[in-house]
mmCIF file with all atom_site columns, all heavy atoms in Angstrom:
data_model
loop_
_atom_site.group_PDB
_atom_site.id
_atom_site.type_symbol
_atom_site.label_atom_id
_atom_site.label_alt_id
_atom_site.label_comp_id
_atom_site.label_asym_id
_atom_site.label_entity_id
_atom_site.label_seq_id
_atom_site.pdbx_PDB_ins_code
_atom_site.Cartn_x
_atom_site.Cartn_y
_atom_site.Cartn_z
_atom_site.occupancy
_atom_site.B_iso_or_equiv
_atom_site.pdbx_formal_charge
_atom_site.auth_seq_id
_atom_site.auth_comp_id
_atom_site.auth_asym_id
_atom_site.auth_atom_id
_atom_site.pdbx_PDB_model_num
ATOM 1   N N   . ARG A 1 16  ? -11.674 22.671 -10.209 1.00 0.00 ? 171 ARG A N   1
ATOM 2   C CA  . ARG A 1 16  ? -10.895 22.382 -11.416 1.00 0.00 ? 171 ARG A CA  1
ATOM 3   C C   . ARG A 1 16  ? -9.902  23.499 -11.701 1.00 0.00 ? 171 ARG A C   1
ATOM 4   O O   . ARG A 1 16  ? -10.284 24.675 -11.701 1.00 0.00 ? 171 ARG A O   1
ATOM 5   C CB  . ARG A 1 16  ? -11.824 22.265 -12.636 1.00 0.00 ? 171 ARG A CB  1
ATOM 6   C CG  . ARG A 1 16  ? -12.535 20.966 -12.722 1.00 0.00 ? 171 ARG A CG  1
ATOM 7   C CD  . ARG A 1 16  ? -13.604 21.019 -13.796 1.00 0.00 ? 171 ARG A CD  1
ATOM 8   N NE  . ARG A 1 16  ? -14.573 19.990 -13.481 1.00 0.00 ? 171 ARG A NE  1
ATOM 9   C CZ  . ARG A 1 16  ? -14.541 18.755 -14.009 1.00 0.00 ? 171 ARG A CZ  1
ATOM 10  N NH1 . ARG A 1 16  ? -13.660 18.449 -14.924 1.00 0.00 ? 171 ARG A NH1 1
ATOM 11  N NH2 . ARG A 1 16  ? -15.410 17.853 -13.634 1.00 0.00 ? 171 ARG A NH2 1
ATOM 12  N N   . TYR A 1 29  ? -10.953 25.541 -27.592 1.00 0.00 ? 184 TYR A N   1
ATOM 13  C CA  . TYR A 1 29  ? -11.322 24.249 -28.170 1.00 0.00 ? 184 TYR A CA  1
ATOM 14  C C   . TYR A 1 29  ? -10.830 24.179 -29.622 1.00 0.00 ? 184 TYR A C   1
ATOM 15  O O   . TYR A 1 29  ? -10.311 25.175 -30.166 1.00 0.00 ? 184 TYR A O   1
ATOM 16  C CB  . TYR A 1 29  ? -12.836 24.037 -28.069 1.00 0.00 ? 184 TYR A CB  1
ATOM 17  C CG  . TYR A 1 29  ? -13.293 23.941 -26.626 1.00 0.00 ? 184 TYR A CG  1
ATOM 18  C CD1 . TYR A 1 29  ? -13.561 25.087 -25.877 1.00 0.00 ? 184 TYR A CD1 1
ATOM 19  C CD2 . TYR A 1 29  ? -13.416 22.708 -25.985 1.00 0.00 ? 184 TYR A CD2 1
ATOM 20  C CE1 . TYR A 1 29  ? -13.941 25.017 -24.542 1.00 0.00 ? 184 TYR A CE1 1
ATOM 21  C CE2 . TYR A 1 29  ? -13.795 22.620 -24.657 1.00 0.00 ? 184 TYR A CE2 1
ATOM 22  C CZ  . TYR A 1 29  ? -14.060 23.773 -23.940 1.00 0.00 ? 184 TYR A CZ  1
ATOM 23  O OH  . TYR A 1 29  ? -14.427 23.698 -22.613 1.00 0.00 ? 184 TYR A OH  1
ATOM 24  N N   . PRO A 1 185 ? -22.981 9.239  -29.202 1.00 0.00 ? 340 PRO A N   1
ATOM 25  C CA  . PRO A 1 185 ? -22.373 9.917  -28.044 1.00 0.00 ? 340 PRO A CA  1
ATOM 26  C C   . PRO A 1 185 ? -22.762 11.387 -27.943 1.00 0.00 ? 340 PRO A C   1
ATOM 27  O O   . PRO A 1 185 ? -22.998 11.889 -26.853 1.00 0.00 ? 340 PRO A O   1
ATOM 28  C CB  . PRO A 1 185 ? -20.863 9.752  -28.285 1.00 0.00 ? 340 PRO A CB  1
ATOM 29  C CG  . PRO A 1 185 ? -20.760 8.509  -29.107 1.00 0.00 ? 340 PRO A CG  1
ATOM 30  C CD  . PRO A 1 185 ? -21.980 8.536  -30.006 1.00 0.00 ? 340 PRO A CD  1
ATOM 31  N N   . LYS A 1 621 ? -14.675 16.072 -5.652  1.00 0.00 ? 776 LYS A N   1
ATOM 32  C CA  . LYS A 1 621 ? -15.599 16.922 -6.410  1.00 0.00 ? 776 LYS A CA  1
ATOM 33  C C   . LYS A 1 621 ? -15.725 16.427 -7.854  1.00 0.00 ? 776 LYS A C   1
ATOM 34  O O   . LYS A 1 621 ? -16.831 16.195 -8.344  1.00 0.00 ? 776 LYS A O   1
ATOM 35  C CB  . LYS A 1 621 ? -15.104 18.376 -6.380  1.00 0.00 ? 776 LYS A CB  1
ATOM 36  C CG  . LYS A 1 621 ? -16.063 19.371 -6.984  1.00 0.00 ? 776 LYS A CG  1
ATOM 37  C CD  . LYS A 1 621 ? -15.573 20.810 -6.836  1.00 0.00 ? 776 LYS A CD  1
ATOM 38  C CE  . LYS A 1 621 ? -15.789 21.324 -5.425  1.00 0.00 ? 776 LYS A CE  1
ATOM 39  N NZ  . LYS A 1 621 ? -15.635 22.798 -5.344  1.00 0.00 ? 776 LYS A NZ  1
ATOM 40  N N   . SER A 1 625 ? -18.761 14.391 -9.918  1.00 0.00 ? 780 SER A N   1
ATOM 41  C CA  . SER A 1 625 ? -19.319 14.851 -11.195 1.00 0.00 ? 780 SER A CA  1
ATOM 42  C C   . SER A 1 625 ? -19.289 13.748 -12.248 1.00 0.00 ? 780 SER A C   1
ATOM 43  O O   . SER A 1 625 ? -20.212 13.621 -13.055 1.00 0.00 ? 780 SER A O   1
ATOM 44  C CB  . SER A 1 625 ? -18.541 16.070 -11.702 1.00 0.00 ? 780 SER A CB  1
ATOM 45  O OG  . SER A 1 625 ? -18.769 17.176 -10.865 1.00 0.00 ? 780 SER A OG  1
ATOM 46  N N   . GLU A 1 641 ? -32.945 7.802  -25.252 1.00 0.00 ? 796 GLU A N   1
ATOM 47  C CA  . GLU A 1 641 ? -32.082 7.835  -26.438 1.00 0.00 ? 796 GLU A CA  1
ATOM 48  C C   . GLU A 1 641 ? -32.359 6.693  -27.415 1.00 0.00 ? 796 GLU A C   1
ATOM 49  O O   . GLU A 1 641 ? -32.355 5.534  -27.043 1.00 0.00 ? 796 GLU A O   1
ATOM 50  C CB  . GLU A 1 641 ? -30.610 7.785  -26.014 1.00 0.00 ? 796 GLU A CB  1
ATOM 51  C CG  . GLU A 1 641 ? -30.187 9.010  -25.245 1.00 0.00 ? 796 GLU A CG  1
ATOM 52  C CD  . GLU A 1 641 ? -28.692 9.031  -24.975 1.00 0.00 ? 796 GLU A CD  1
ATOM 53  O OE1 . GLU A 1 641 ? -27.921 8.566  -25.834 1.00 0.00 ? 796 GLU A OE1 1
ATOM 54  O OE2 . GLU A 1 641 ? -28.306 9.499  -23.899 1.00 0.00 ? 796 GLU A OE2 1
ATOM 55  N N   . SER B 2 91  ? -17.205 26.608 -8.299  1.00 0.00 ? 881 SER B N   1
ATOM 56  C CA  . SER B 2 91  ? -17.190 26.004 -6.960  1.00 0.00 ? 881 SER B CA  1
ATOM 57  C C   . SER B 2 91  ? -18.140 24.809 -6.865  1.00 0.00 ? 881 SER B C   1
ATOM 58  O O   . SER B 2 91  ? -17.886 23.883 -6.109  1.00 0.00 ? 881 SER B O   1
ATOM 59  C CB  . SER B 2 91  ? -17.515 27.050 -5.891  1.00 0.00 ? 881 SER B CB  1
ATOM 60  O OG  . SER B 2 91  ? -18.843 27.503 -6.036  1.00 0.00 ? 881 SER B OG  1
ATOM 61  N N   . ASP B 2 93  ? -18.697 22.795 -9.416  1.00 0.00 ? 883 ASP B N   1
ATOM 62  C CA  . ASP B 2 93  ? -18.312 21.895 -10.500 1.00 0.00 ? 883 ASP B CA  1
ATOM 63  C C   . ASP B 2 93  ? -19.498 21.669 -11.450 1.00 0.00 ? 883 ASP B C   1
ATOM 64  O O   . ASP B 2 93  ? -19.847 20.531 -11.778 1.00 0.00 ? 883 ASP B O   1
ATOM 65  C CB  . ASP B 2 93  ? -17.805 20.565 -9.949  1.00 0.00 ? 883 ASP B CB  1
ATOM 66  C CG  . ASP B 2 93  ? -16.752 19.941 -10.872 1.00 0.00 ? 883 ASP B CG  1
ATOM 67  O OD1 . ASP B 2 93  ? -16.004 20.695 -11.511 1.00 0.00 ? 883 ASP B OD1 1
ATOM 68  O OD2 . ASP B 2 93  ? -16.688 18.691 -10.958 1.00 0.00 ? 883 ASP B OD2 1
ATOM 69  N N   . CYS B 2 97  ? -16.676 19.036 -19.416 1.00 0.00 ? 887 CYS B N   1
ATOM 70  C CA  . CYS B 2 97  ? -15.863 19.384 -20.589 1.00 0.00 ? 887 CYS B CA  1
ATOM 71  C C   . CYS B 2 97  ? -15.856 20.891 -20.810 1.00 0.00 ? 887 CYS B C   1
ATOM 72  O O   . CYS B 2 97  ? -14.938 21.433 -21.420 1.00 0.00 ? 887 CYS B O   1
ATOM 73  C CB  . CYS B 2 97  ? -16.334 18.650 -21.836 1.00 0.00 ? 887 CYS B CB  1
ATOM 74  S SG  . CYS B 2 97  ? -17.780 19.338 -22.654 1.00 0.00 ? 887 CYS B SG  1
ATOM 75  N N   . ARG B 2 147 ? -24.108 17.347 -22.009 1.00 0.00 ? 937 ARG B N   1
ATOM 76  C CA  . ARG B 2 147 ? -23.949 15.915 -22.247 1.00 0.00 ? 937 ARG B CA  1
ATOM 77  C C   . ARG B 2 147 ? -23.092 15.267 -21.166 1.00 0.00 ? 937 ARG B C   1
ATOM 78  O O   . ARG B 2 147 ? -23.189 14.071 -20.936 1.00 0.00 ? 937 ARG B O   1
ATOM 79  C CB  . ARG B 2 147 ? -23.350 15.697 -23.643 1.00 0.00 ? 937 ARG B CB  1
ATOM 80  C CG  . ARG B 2 147 ? -23.317 14.268 -24.122 1.00 0.00 ? 937 ARG B CG  1
ATOM 81  C CD  . ARG B 2 147 ? -24.696 13.593 -24.112 1.00 0.00 ? 937 ARG B CD  1
ATOM 82  N NE  . ARG B 2 147 ? -24.749 12.423 -24.985 1.00 0.00 ? 937 ARG B NE  1
ATOM 83  C CZ  . ARG B 2 147 ? -25.670 11.473 -24.889 1.00 0.00 ? 937 ARG B CZ  1
ATOM 84  N NH1 . ARG B 2 147 ? -26.615 11.542 -23.963 1.00 0.00 ? 937 ARG B NH1 1
ATOM 85  N NH2 . ARG B 2 147 ? -25.668 10.446 -25.743 1.00 0.00 ? 937 ARG B NH2 1
ATOM 86  N N   . TYR B 2 151 ? -26.111 18.461 -14.514 1.00 0.00 ? 941 TYR B N   1
ATOM 87  C CA  . TYR B 2 151 ? -27.354 19.174 -14.207 1.00 0.00 ? 941 TYR B CA  1
ATOM 88  C C   . TYR B 2 151 ? -27.538 19.479 -12.719 1.00 0.00 ? 941 TYR B C   1
ATOM 89  O O   . TYR B 2 151 ? -27.907 20.594 -12.351 1.00 0.00 ? 941 TYR B O   1
ATOM 90  C CB  . TYR B 2 151 ? -28.558 18.388 -14.728 1.00 0.00 ? 941 TYR B CB  1
ATOM 91  C CG  . TYR B 2 151 ? -28.566 18.217 -16.227 1.00 0.00 ? 941 TYR B CG  1
ATOM 92  C CD1 . TYR B 2 151 ? -28.759 16.962 -16.809 1.00 0.00 ? 941 TYR B CD1 1
ATOM 93  C CD2 . TYR B 2 151 ? -28.393 19.303 -17.079 1.00 0.00 ? 941 TYR B CD2 1
ATOM 94  C CE1 . TYR B 2 151 ? -28.772 16.797 -18.189 1.00 0.00 ? 941 TYR B CE1 1
ATOM 95  C CE2 . TYR B 2 151 ? -28.407 19.152 -18.456 1.00 0.00 ? 941 TYR B CE2 1
ATOM 96  C CZ  . TYR B 2 151 ? -28.601 17.893 -19.014 1.00 0.00 ? 941 TYR B CZ  1
ATOM 97  O OH  . TYR B 2 151 ? -28.618 17.728 -20.365 1.00 0.00 ? 941 TYR B OH  1
ATOM 98  N N   . ASN B 2 152 ? -27.334 18.473 -11.855 1.00 0.00 ? 942 ASN B N   1
ATOM 99  C CA  . ASN B 2 152 ? -27.507 18.709 -10.405 1.00 0.00 ? 942 ASN B CA  1
ATOM 100 C C   . ASN B 2 152 ? -26.664 19.899 -9.957  1.00 0.00 ? 942 ASN B C   1
ATOM 101 O O   . ASN B 2 152 ? -27.127 20.757 -9.197  1.00 0.00 ? 942 ASN B O   1
ATOM 102 C CB  . ASN B 2 152 ? -27.053 17.485 -9.598  1.00 0.00 ? 942 ASN B CB  1
ATOM 103 C CG  . ASN B 2 152 ? -28.122 16.408 -9.440  1.00 0.00 ? 942 ASN B CG  1
ATOM 104 O OD1 . ASN B 2 152 ? -28.039 15.562 -8.571  1.00 0.00 ? 942 ASN B OD1 1
ATOM 105 N ND2 . ASN B 2 152 ? -29.133 16.425 -10.300 1.00 0.00 ? 942 ASN B ND2 1
#
Side-chain angles (χ1 to χ4, degrees):
Chain A
R171 282 170 202 265
Y184 295 84
K776 187 176 283 194
S780 292
E796 295 187 35
Chain B
S881 66
D883 211 32
C887 79
R937 189 56 160 161
Y941 298 130
N942 275 199

